[in-house]
Amino acid sequence: MSRRVFRGQKKAEIFQEFTIKEDSVGFQVNLTVLLDCLNIFGGSTAPGVSTALRMCYKGYGHPLTLFLEEGGVVTVCKINTQEPEEPVDFDFCSTNVTNKVILQSESLKEAFSELDMTSEVLQITMSPSQPYFRLSTFGNSGNAHYDYPKDSDMMELFRCTKTQTNRYKMSLLKPSTKALALSCKVSVRTDSRGFLSLQYLVRNDDGQICFVEYFCCPDEDVEEE
Amino acid sequence: MDCVVTGGNVKVLAKAIHSLSRIGDELYVEPQEDGLALRSVNSSRSAYACFLFAPLFFSRYTISSGHAFRCKMAIKSVQAVFRSLATLEKTVEKCHIELDEQKNRLTFTLHCKHGLMKTHNLSFQDSESLQAVFDKDSYGNAFRSHPRLLVDTVVHFPPSLDEVTVSVSDDRMWFRNHVEEEADQSKAMLTELCLASDEFDHFAVQVHNSITFCLKELRGLLVFAESTGLPISMYFDEPGSPVVLSVTDSVLEGNFVLATLSDDPNHRKNNTRRARTPPPPPDDFMNDDIDSYLIAMDTSIAPGPSATGPPTPPLADSICSKQAAAANHRTRLHSEEEEEDDETVDSSRPPNKKFCSLFFGSVFPPSSQMTTQPVTSQEVLASDSEDDVE
């Protein structure tokens, strides 16, 4: 079983106005539809033009209403909500973390853009000794390793207690490169079971910070080399 | 083999590999006394390229004394090591290339800024020698110019254009796109550019010739030359004889050898080479592993056409220098009888324009229906060999 979870967290401060009447509210909408609505004025905006968004939810059974305004034109989108599914919980908690590094995204971006896509897995090795932090692929032409030493100036934090090598399906990790591209820092953590947590720190135009968190379970099918 | 490339030379090496990838799918690697040779050839054996990097190109160059080593690998795999040229320039400090003969692996280690290390362990196959023998200094026409001149010329032709015709007179060179005779003339677009001899650094014409060759394969060299700023030299002779384009500096030499169309069978110079061809494994007549064969190219200048029959080419005097060590030698003799065999084969071909193969020893069946496709000589099929000479 290989699953992954992508979680974006937007703190209340990112919103100019944030009002919620109950302790927590949960619903589910189709992600593609939501994205299409948010992009209803087209993907890119001219400089000086910004789009304003207001999201309203009346409660259970009601649609999620989006009001989008750009240049005096207002669009209203009503998206049907669904019963929220139980979110997948990998039970990844900080107390179980064996290894953690925080890297500047720039160098990781370079590595990910060059990864051998003919490899089915991405192997991550984290260790208090050589090679410290290593990304490996095993593709058609041979294998490749990307090594980050613990004293690299790209390495902001290096806290590894135990040597761990885990493999993750490349197809599961591929979507995370989008968050990587937007981020300036990334934290990579593994727990005792080999579950991977990637946390991307994204700074938006106003300087607001938000996080995108990504969990992936290790690929158990393959024998370690 | 153990060598290290540092600084800007890493990018030069990468560019050379990228330009070789425009020729063929495989990279032939051969560390030699006089430097590291990287070669490629296209599937129809009508284009060959070789870059030789002298030991001084490297900050360290060590090769194993004793047996000669050569191998080949998918060129895409090597390109993946040097994928982004912009990144290479910014971040790579040095590149270490090391051979592990036990594991059949060639390891490329890029030492980058911020302590990052990228290691690529590439598997390779043993290969026979791939070496075209040519003597560009013996060619009648020789030119040299800054790459910008050729790049600016070639840019006028669409990327899809296959062949270009180059003609020379005493003081001019013309580039013209080659249009098939059968093509609809009313729909064809003809483009012609004329360059004066004073645009060249060197312009020496002995014979007013017109040659047609594949432009696509040349573009790889143009990109390399332009980015390194090295002048390009061009050598050619009669149609049918290959055109050689080279770039040279003190530590490297690149040669691109392209076959040219020959006009008609009577004029056609017989480009078949006498190669010492060891037979392929007995059961494997249609073994298309070209590496079973040695490759050589004859660029001798033939006398004019004979009216009575197919021309008798002079005996080849240059042969590929390395023999396949393990091969069971049953060499072809340089004999008139054999060449007559070849003549028979030649005259049985349709009298159309076709590229002559640069190399002898291909088992690929000729694509005889396509007149502009390079045609491999047919003489070397194992089954024929078996019948002929014992």
Side-chain angles (χ1 to χ4, degrees), chain B residues 83-270:
Chain B
R83 191 179 308 237
S84 161
L85 289 175
T87 316
L88 278 180
E89 195 169 27
K90 279 192 296 191
T91 62
V92 177
E93 286 160 3
K94 68 178 185 193
C95 171
H96 182 199
I97 308 174
E98 202 176 339
L99 169 68
D100 182 345
E101 273 186 269
Q102 255 74 45
K103 291 189 189 160
N104 262 27
R105 285 206 308 213
L106 194 60
T107 302
F108 289 79
T109 309
L110 298 176
H111 296 250
C112 307
K113 284 214 276 238
H114 310 297
L116 171 58
M117 234 171 55
K118 304 178 188 175
T119 310
H120 293 256
N121 296 307
L122 305 180
S123 48
F124 60 75
Q125 294 171 276
D126 289 326
S127 84
E128 293 308 321
S129 181
L130 175 78
Q131 203 165 333
V133 178
F134 51 93
D135 181 12
K136 53 196 182 189
D137 296 321
S138 71
Y139 280 179
N141 300 328
F143 314 90
R144 191 174 67 247
S145 75
H146 191 272
R148 194 97 280 271
L149 180 68
L150 292 182
V151 169
D152 286 348
T153 303
V154 154
V155 80
H156 294 281
F157 298 101
S160 56
L161 176 67
D162 282 335
E163 287 121 22
V164 71
T165 302
V166 173
S167 314
V168 287
S169 70
D170 285 332
D171 56 359
R172 288 212 192 321
M173 180 186 280
W174 288 267
F175 279 78
R176 200 164 47 243
N177 61 322
H178 175 76
V179 178
E180 279 307 296
E181 279 151 12
E182 300 84 46
D184 186 353
Q185 294 291 329
S186 63
K187 292 204 177 114
M189 179 169 84
L190 296 175
T191 305
E192 184 180 279
L193 285 108
C194 181
L195 300 172
S197 58
D198 57 9
E199 298 191 68
F200 291 81
D201 298 336
H202 177 73
F203 194 96
V205 173
Q206 278 181 17
V207 192
H208 295 183
N209 276 328
S210 198
I211 54 163
T212 300
F213 56 91
C214 190
L215 183 59
K216 270 193 201 151
E217 279 147 358
L218 175 56
R219 287 184 196 265
L221 175 67
L222 292 181
V223 171
F224 178 85
E226 202 194 3
S227 65
T228 51
L230 292 173
I232 300 180
S233 301
M234 185 167 160
Y235 308 84
F236 62 87
D237 238 353
E238 274 90 23
S241 178
V243 53
V244 181
L245 293 113
S246 328
V247 287
T248 318
D249 81 0
S250 53
V251 289
L252 72 86
E253 184 183 333
N255 287 303
F256 276 55
V257 185
L258 308 176
T260 62
L261 277 186
S262 63
D263 284 334
D264 73 37
N266 288 333
H267 282 278
R268 186 194 317 147
K269 204 197 311 281
N270 190 327

Side-chain angles (χ1 to χ4, degrees), chain B residues 239-240 261-271 302-313 343-354 356:
Chain B
L261 277 186
S262 63
D263 284 334
D264 73 37
N266 288 333
H267 282 278
R268 186 194 317 147
K269 204 197 311 281
N270 190 327
N271 283 315
S306 124
T308 49
T312 307
E343 266 55 275
T344 319
V345 176
D346 277 347
S347 57
S348 71
R349 287 194 215 149
N352 289 317
K353 290 189 185 193
K354 48 171 63 70
C356 288

Side-chain angles (χ1 to χ4, degrees), chain B residues 330-341:
Chain B
R330 197 206 47 185
T331 56
R332 277 177 157 256
L333 304 172
H334 293 211
S335 65
E336 286 295 334
E337 302 87 72
E338 280 206 333
E339 286 168 21
E340 276 161 21
D341 282 344

Side-chain angles (χ1 to χ4, degrees), chain B residues 42-102:
Chain B
N42 71 354
S43 54
S44 48
R45 299 299 187 264
S46 61
Y48 160 95
C50 172
F51 278 94
L52 181 67
F53 296 94
L56 283 178
F57 177 82
F58 303 88
S59 53
R60 177 164 88 230
Y61 185 76
T62 330
I63 57 171
S64 59
S65 53
H67 71 283
F69 166 77
R70 56 185 96 92
C71 69
K72 65 173 183 174
M73 59 192 76
I75 205 165
K76 277 195 165 47
S77 315
V78 192
Q79 281 183 287
V81 178
F82 301 104
R83 191 179 308 237
S84 161
L85 289 175
T87 316
L88 278 180
E89 195 169 27
K90 279 192 296 191
T91 62
V92 177
E93 286 160 3
K94 68 178 185 193
C95 171
H96 182 199
I97 308 174
E98 202 176 339
L99 169 68
D100 182 345
E101 273 186 269
Q102 255 74 45

Side-chain angles (χ1 to χ4, degrees), chain B residues 362-384:
Chain B
S362 168
V363 290
F364 291 101
S367 47
S368 53
Q369 305 319 310
M370 317 218 13
T371 56
T372 57
Q373 291 310 306
V375 173
T376 57
S377 57
Q378 305 178 36
E379 296 86 327
V380 81
L381 291 178
S383 45
D384 284 341

Side-chain angles (χ1 to χ4, degrees), chain A residues 168-186:
Chain A
Y168 307 92
K169 277 208 161 46
M170 193 70 94
S171 53
L172 295 181
L173 289 184
K174 202 103 224 294
S176 69
T177 49
K178 281 208 174 127
L180 179 62
L182 296 170
S183 68
C184 49
K185 278 190 216 188
V186 56

